[in-house]
Amino acid sequence: MLTPTDTVALTAPPDAAALRRAALPVTVTVDEEARARVARGRRLFDALRRGPGGGDRRIYGADTGFGALVGYAGRADDADQCDNTLAHLGAGQGPDLPPEIVRAALLLRTRSLASGLSGVSTDVVDRLAAMFATTFTPAVPRYGSVGASGDLIPLAYATQALRGRGHAYLDGTRMPAGDALTAAGLSPLTLDGRDALALVNGTSVTTAALALALDSVRAAHRSLTALTCLLTDLLGCDTGFLDAGLLRAYGHPGAVEAGGRMRHTLEGAVPSGTRPLQEPYSIRCAPQLLGAAEDALRYVDGVVAADLDGVSDNPLFIPGTGTGTGTDAGTGTGIDRDDEAGRAVHGGNFFGQPAAFAADLLASVTAQLGNLAERQLDLLVDPARNGGLPPMLATEPGAQHGLQGVQLATTAFVAEIRRAATPAGMQSLPTNLHNQDVVPFGTQAALRAHDSAELLGLLCGSLALGLRQAAHVGARRTTAPRCGELLAVLADAIPPVDPDRPLAADVRAAARLLVRYVRP
């Protein structure tokens, strides 16, 4: 089994790099301050549950039914109440989620619980953290969450696997979860109803998928900016469309920034003087398109940052202010108790609407970036527009077919991305006896954005392969040193297509190379 090679602390919100590191064994540290917060939250939960005068006080999930059945009593025994929480949620379907999403989601769940506001036991947080030092990954089906009361069904599968039920992966092999725990040296989690509910009642799967998708789209955005510059230089285009004054007059900060990056990359470029006065929009309007994408991505950045740092759970146990003043649940404010000890607050922090809107926007950005990459490749393989290079960039057209198969695949990628860009965040469908009478579908939106981001990376890889091939079949030498550097990196890693060969692996290799090359 792999051993941890990195450390992630729960003292700060994890960034995309930390979420990606969590896909492999990693040491997750829970400091004493966090452990003290969790213990204090647990004591508050116990005190509030006892209620004034020693009588039991109703706290959702501790001794009640769930969802629409909250008005009915739950099970009296704590262990039974854990089963009561989880068993009915075993209704997911479809293929398992990618392990990197599942482990990133559990890292986010661990940090949310470590805030001390969920009333869980310290053992839950410690045992979750210990899991990350192994390759143990719960098997979680893709379909079932509406993202309204958090990701109930997927997180229930993850929780059950940590209890030794259902299935899990260890070192990439799927097996019964109990066997995986034993082989990993982990013990099954023991939970009560509060622990179980806190593990499932959050948006961690949605947030993880969205954060990973955003990271991939940002990498593709950087890649496409660099590839557009290389295309401009190889074709000998005039760079006047990047004029700083022109873009300032446009008035959009993203376009100004994108144009500045492109001018930097194209510094030293010499136009051929043979191109049309005005280039096609896939070149001439690239700074406007890339800039609009940048402006939109900054909004998604903000949503993801808030979700990574937020606590998505219900109820929350808020520490007391020490004022000694109190209010009663009969006010209708949702506050059950407010005194020196603290209060339990029932609300909707598990409602994933911000992530749903952000994921839908990210999908739109992904689709338009995909359109740009596909149109640039189309321009590059067309002898009527590519400055006289051979059709499909084939070394011997007819006997060889160059990028023809790759272009067919990019057309399919773009169609798939467009289909997946239909907004999910406003397609509310009431459920749960109208308890969940409005839902955000953030999970679906985030997972589809994650899928589309992968395809966008392949589109960038396809364009990079085309640019490398264009240099082989007669495109002029680059004149901008930074463009020359990128082309040299591509040429070193990818042989020319001469003669024809299957290119799927080359596209993937180019996509991976670009992510490394254009790191911020």
Side-chain angles (χ1 to χ4, degrees):
M1 185 184 297
L2 297 172
T3 55
T5 59
D6 208 343
T7 299
V8 173
L10 298 180
T11 52
D15 58 12
L19 294 180
R20 293 201 183 279
R21 290 201 301 275
L24 296 173
V26 62
T27 299
V28 173
T29 59
V30 184
D31 62 19
E32 290 307 314
E33 183 178 347
R35 194 170 281 107
R37 285 196 307 269
V38 174
R40 186 166 57 244
R42 185 64 170 193
R43 290 194 298 272
L44 176 56
F45 162 70
D46 289 337
L48 292 173
R49 187 180 180 188
R50 287 194 298 272
D56 288 340
R57 189 179 188 86
R58 293 186 71 214
I59 294 177
Y60 175 64
D63 49 16
T64 69
F66 299 96
L69 304 183
V70 63
Y72 296 85
R75 301 179 188 176
D77 180 79
D78 280 341
D80 284 348
Q81 184 68 345
C82 168
D83 289 335
N84 193 23
T85 310
L86 300 173
H88 74 284
L89 295 173
Q93 300 288 350
D96 291 339
L97 289 174
E100 60 266 24
I101 292 180
V102 174
R103 284 177 63 97
L106 287 174
L107 181 63
L108 294 178
R109 203 81 216 110
T110 305
R111 185 172 191 276
S112 181
L113 299 181
S115 70
L117 300 178
S118 292
V120 300
S121 62
T122 54
D123 185 61
V124 171
V125 175
D126 286 336
R127 301 277 288 284
L128 280 172
M131 181 211 77
F132 287 97
T134 76
T135 62
F136 182 91
T137 307
V140 176
R142 175 171 181 136
Y143 301 112
S145 175
V146 298
S149 189
D151 296 308
L152 289 172
I153 285 178
L155 287 173
Y157 275 85
T159 303
Q160 290 285 52
L162 288 162
R163 297 175 73 208
R165 307 182 184 194
H167 290 82
Y169 293 86
L170 190 71
D171 296 338
T173 301
R174 199 177 195 270
M175 63 184 73
D179 294 344
L181 286 172
T182 300
L186 300 171
S187 300
L189 270 179
T190 301
L191 307 171
D192 62 15
R194 172 83 289 265
D195 293 331
L197 182 60
L199 279 163
V200 304
N201 221 179
T203 61
S204 301
V205 173
T206 299
T207 302
L210 177 58
L212 293 172
L214 173 62
D215 186 55
S216 294
V217 173
R218 277 218 165 272
H221 184 269
R222 293 190 297 271
S223 298
L224 194 48
T225 301
L227 294 173
T228 302
C229 293
L230 180 54
L231 174 64
T232 299
D233 196 9
L234 282 176
L235 295 183
C237 305
D238 192 302
T239 58
F241 66 96
L242 297 172
D243 183 86
L246 175 80
L247 295 174
R248 280 196 303 271
Y250 190 54
H252 293 275
V256 171
E257 182 176 325
R261 288 199 300 267
M262 294 176 73
R263 286 195 304 277
H264 176 71
T265 302
L266 282 163
E267 187 176 356
V270 178
S272 66
T274 61
R275 296 293 297 175
L277 176 64
Q278 296 195 136
E279 292 290 344
Y281 286 11
S282 58
I283 294 176
R284 189 181 3 141
C285 298
Q288 286 81 5
L289 190 159
L290 293 166
E294 176 62 36
D295 289 335
L297 290 174
R298 285 173 180 166
Y299 169 77
V300 183
D301 287 340
V303 172
V304 168
D307 277 354
L308 291 175
D309 197 28
V311 177
S312 56
D313 201 351
N314 176 55
L316 293 185
F317 300 88
I318 309 298
T321 61
T323 62
T325 60
T327 59
D328 190 75
T331 62
T333 63
I335 298 177
D336 293 336
R337 185 176 176 90
D338 185 0
D339 55 20
E340 291 187 39
R343 63 191 190 275
V345 186
H346 293 82
N349 280 11
F350 47 47
F351 197 77
Q353 193 70 67
F357 285 153
D360 284 343
L361 178 58
L362 185 63
S364 294
V365 170
T366 301
Q368 187 66 334
L369 291 176
N371 289 335
L372 181 62
E374 187 276 334
R375 288 292 84 197
Q376 288 182 347
L377 180 62
D378 182 76
L379 186 158
L380 192 59
V381 301
D382 182 357
R385 295 178 293 148
N386 66 12
L389 298 176
M392 293 299 171
L393 305 179
T395 54
E396 188 181 350
Q400 307 293 341
H401 293 81
L403 272 287
Q404 184 163 280
V406 169
Q407 192 198 21
L408 288 170
T410 62
T411 304
F413 299 162
V414 167
E416 183 65 21
I417 292 172
R418 289 178 181 178
R419 185 194 62 79
T422 302
M426 38 65 73
Q427 302 204 35
S428 179
L429 185 66
T431 188
N432 199 230
L433 298 185
H434 287 262
N435 170 52
Q436 295 185 26
D437 57 348
V438 58
V439 301
F441 288 122
T443 321
Q444 287 89 336
L447 290 174
R448 290 191 309 171
H450 186 271
D451 294 343
S452 295
E454 182 178 359
L455 290 174
L456 178 59
L458 295 175
L459 282 163
C460 290
S462 300
L463 177 57
L465 182 61
L467 290 164
R468 189 267 176 269
Q469 181 68 4
H472 175 67
V473 297
R476 73 169 197 159
R477 288 180 173 274
T478 53
T479 58
R482 291 182 182 87
C483 291
E485 178 184 307
L486 173 56
L487 182 59
V489 168
L490 291 171
D492 285 346
I494 302 168
V497 184
D498 188 7
D500 285 347
R501 65 175 185 274
L503 294 173
D506 295 270
V507 168
R508 294 193 298 271
R512 291 192 298 270
L513 184 153
L514 286 170
V515 171
R516 296 192 299 271
Y517 182 81
V518 300
R519 280 178 179 163

